[in-house]
């Protein structure tokens, strides 16, 4: 089956007790599948997850589904039917190549404007080759996200803890990073705290401790970061989820941007200042993240 | 022709000198027209305009097209071909009802991921009946937008001056307003300045002057606000574009939220405090905004 492989899912066809088979259908890769009235496209009004598929194994699918549910709650979307999503994931998995790295995207949209129903789909694409990012590292600049540290608690309507489809700012920040000669960016608050990348979580080793910014309401809980922290803990290295200032980030011994598909990319330059790759943990992270994980 | 009436537009088919006829085509209202790989739907990565059509007249289409161009510049999208857009607007106008109020939406998307081309479309829907909002007014709450007053100048990658498709926060703010028993909201900065509504501009009469927040980079330049200010000026009333604090808004003699389709909605309650409708200018605004405008 050619990629992208796409399943259109009907969220309303599967209630809690119903059979979920037959509530999704494959559509040809190049065929139009969405109406222009879709609120996902009109308003970026929906949520998503991107899951890695490595050699036929769907990585951490339950963690991603759990986050999809949290995003739906924050955005007041219908609760995703996890039996239906699991069935669609399994069905898609049988249709796509059993080797190599793929990216599986789940989308839940508020549906067609004035329409009765949410819409949903799953699509599988080849993953971009991330070998260079994983082994040679990435250059990163920090960019002001415009929000202060306490904003999420004060203004939950900013949806900061949800993985919404409204990513225009994230994409603009990546363009700004490239304009500055970098590969990626780390968002910081207007009052100097480290947040996250536009499509990744930040892990920094500070005084021997692997630290990630506390997943407050302002920061998306990273599935890959959580998986990696579990791995680091098992190997008896100290980890911490806590507030991190820009100055602390700048003083870190090593920094990684971690995400589901690119995995752990070591930072080799932060705001123009070179940073050495710590090869041993970097290689270990990649090996672990490429191994089958549930 | 049934509504919605939709034209899919091919931005790449029309270069500056080429014939633009034939570079757009109608699609049936209920037919899928977009691929799931669309960055408009995956990332809210595109821009839009909503234009009122009143009794067969497209209102202020040039002002909307000019803003579409500005949004494209901010988002680094291909420059819209205005000859093509004008031709599509004229073509659509011949197909839709010549009476009543309609909403015409123009969308320019970054296109299909990894694809070669931006995508674009135009769709015309019946306008919601705004009679109650225009005559009986709306209840409004202020909500913190999380940004400080100077953020746009400091962080242009937040795209605050562009009308992007990433509207999930705007929609969440409207849900929050309804939760608080209101109909709409006015965003304010974290340091206490009035910004705009999620889908409207703010005009307040303060000490006899019609004031709108200065269209800095943080506030979308309102086409309806600009048109109305021109009307007010012609009638020899004073207008001002300047910074406005929440306290000033609360002390205003009258407030309107103005937008292309709902037009001028007088505010009858601000954060729970009743406010009288000033009937004379409100009626005059509605009559003017419903008259043919170029």
């Amino acid at each position: 089956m050619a990629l992208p492989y796409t399943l259109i899912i009907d969220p309303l066809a599967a209630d809690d007790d119903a059979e979920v088979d037959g509530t999704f259908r494959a559509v040809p890769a190049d065929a139009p599948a969405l109406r222009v009235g879709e609120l996902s496209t009109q308003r970026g009004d929906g949520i998503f997850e991107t899951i890695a598929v490595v050699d036929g194994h769907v990585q951490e699918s339950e963690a991603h589904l759990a986050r999809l549910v949290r995003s739906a709650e924050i955005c007041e979307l219908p609760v995703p039917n996890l039996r239906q999503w699991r069935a669609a994931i399994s069905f898609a998995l049988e249709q796509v190549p059993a080797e190599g790295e793929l990216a599986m995207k789940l989308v839940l949209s508020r549906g067609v404007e004035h329409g009765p129903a949410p819409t949903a789909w799953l699509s599988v694409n080849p993953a971009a080759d991330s070998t260079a990012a994983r082994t040679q590292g990435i250059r990163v600049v920090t960019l002001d996200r415009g929000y202060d540290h306490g904003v999420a608690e004060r203004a939950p309507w900013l949806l900061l803890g949800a993985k919404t489809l409204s990513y225009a700012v994230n994409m603009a920040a990546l363009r700004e990073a490239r304009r500055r000669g970098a590969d990626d960016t780390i968002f910081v608050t207007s009052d100097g705290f480290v947040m996250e990348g536009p499509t990744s979580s930040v892990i920094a080793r500070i005084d021997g401790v692997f630290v990630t910014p506390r997943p407050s309401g302002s920061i998306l809980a990273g599935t890959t970061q959580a998986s990696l922290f579990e791995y680091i803990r098992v190997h008896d290295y100290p980890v911490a989820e806590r507030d991190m200032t820009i100055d602390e980030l700048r003083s870190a011994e090593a920094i990684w941007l971690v995400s589901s598909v690119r995995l752990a990319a070591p930072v080799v330059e932060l705001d123009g200042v070179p940073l050495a790759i710590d090869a041993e943990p970097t290689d270990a992270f990649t090996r672990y993240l490429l191994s089958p994980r549930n």
Side-chain angles (χ1 to χ4, degrees), chain A:
Chain A
M1 179 69 73
L3 296 181
Y5 178 77
T6 302
L7 290 176
I8 301 293
I9 299 170
D10 182 356
L12 291 194
D15 67 27
D16 281 351
D17 302 317
E19 193 61 52
V20 292
D21 292 345
T23 62
F24 40 84
R25 63 188 164 82
V27 291
D30 290 342
L34 305 175
R35 290 160 60 176
V36 300
E38 256 296 322
L39 290 168
S40 57
T41 199
Q42 287 203 30
R43 301 291 197 192
D45 198 359
I47 55 176
F48 76 103
E49 287 294 324
T50 304
I51 313 181
V53 181
V54 179
D55 293 337
H57 190 272
V58 182
Q59 302 283 50
E60 303 268 356
S61 59
E62 287 302 316
H64 284 282
L65 287 172
R67 192 168 63 182
L68 191 74
V69 170
R70 281 201 302 282
S71 293
E73 286 167 359
I74 294 172
C75 294
E76 299 173 71
L77 285 161
V79 181
N81 180 326
L82 294 189
R83 284 176 51 243
Q84 184 184 35
W85 280 106
R86 288 186 195 112
I89 290 169
S90 298
F91 187 88
L93 202 60
E94 289 168 17
Q95 317 298 323
V96 299
E99 291 187 353
E101 295 183 45
L102 309 173
M104 177 185 283
K105 192 156 188 170
L106 319 181
V107 178
L108 174 60
S109 154
R110 205 174 298 277
V112 173
E113 192 165 22
H114 313 304
T119 51
W121 59 93
L122 173 163
S123 63
V124 184
N125 276 280
D129 184 351
S130 297
T131 311
R134 293 171 192 164
T135 57
Q136 295 160 45
I138 54 175
R139 293 158 300 169
V140 169
V141 290
T142 54
L143 288 179
D144 184 349
R145 184 65 185 81
Y147 295 129
D148 63 86
H149 191 50
V151 73
E153 286 71 26
R154 198 170 76 231
W157 47 87
L158 300 178
L159 306 177
L160 285 170
K163 199 167 171 72
T164 79
L165 300 172
S166 285
Y167 256 41
V169 167
N170 302 46
M171 298 298 104
L174 289 175
R175 289 195 299 275
E176 176 69 20
R178 286 184 202 115
R179 193 175 298 120
R180 297 183 184 197
D183 306 298
D184 208 333
T185 179
I186 294 176
F187 281 133
V188 296
T189 65
S190 51
D191 46 356
F193 289 91
V194 176
M195 296 177 74
E196 59 198 345
T199 63
S200 62
S201 307
V202 177
I203 297 178
R205 204 182 59 226
I206 301 171
D207 298 330
V209 182
F210 292 89
V211 182
T212 198
R214 183 175 56 87
S216 69
S218 300
I219 295 172
L220 201 67
T223 55
T224 308
Q225 172 270 317
S227 178
L228 211 42
F229 263 35
E230 194 50 42
Y231 170 83
I232 295 169
R233 256 189 224 105
V234 165
H235 288 78
D236 284 333
Y237 289 96
V239 297
E241 296 185 342
R242 63 168 175 83
D243 290 341
M244 186 195 301
T245 65
I246 303 179
D247 287 344
E248 285 182 291
L249 182 73
R250 294 208 168 117
S251 74
E253 296 122 30
I255 304 170
W256 296 265
L257 289 191
V258 305
S259 51
S260 299
V261 176
R262 193 175 61 183
L263 306 180
V267 175
V268 292
E269 189 183 293
L270 180 67
D271 289 332
V273 178
L275 190 65
I277 296 181
D278 193 345
E280 198 182 312
T282 299
D283 293 349
F285 290 169
T286 298
R287 277 195 307 276
Y288 165 67
L289 292 171
L290 283 172
S291 69
R293 290 176 291 128
N294 289 312

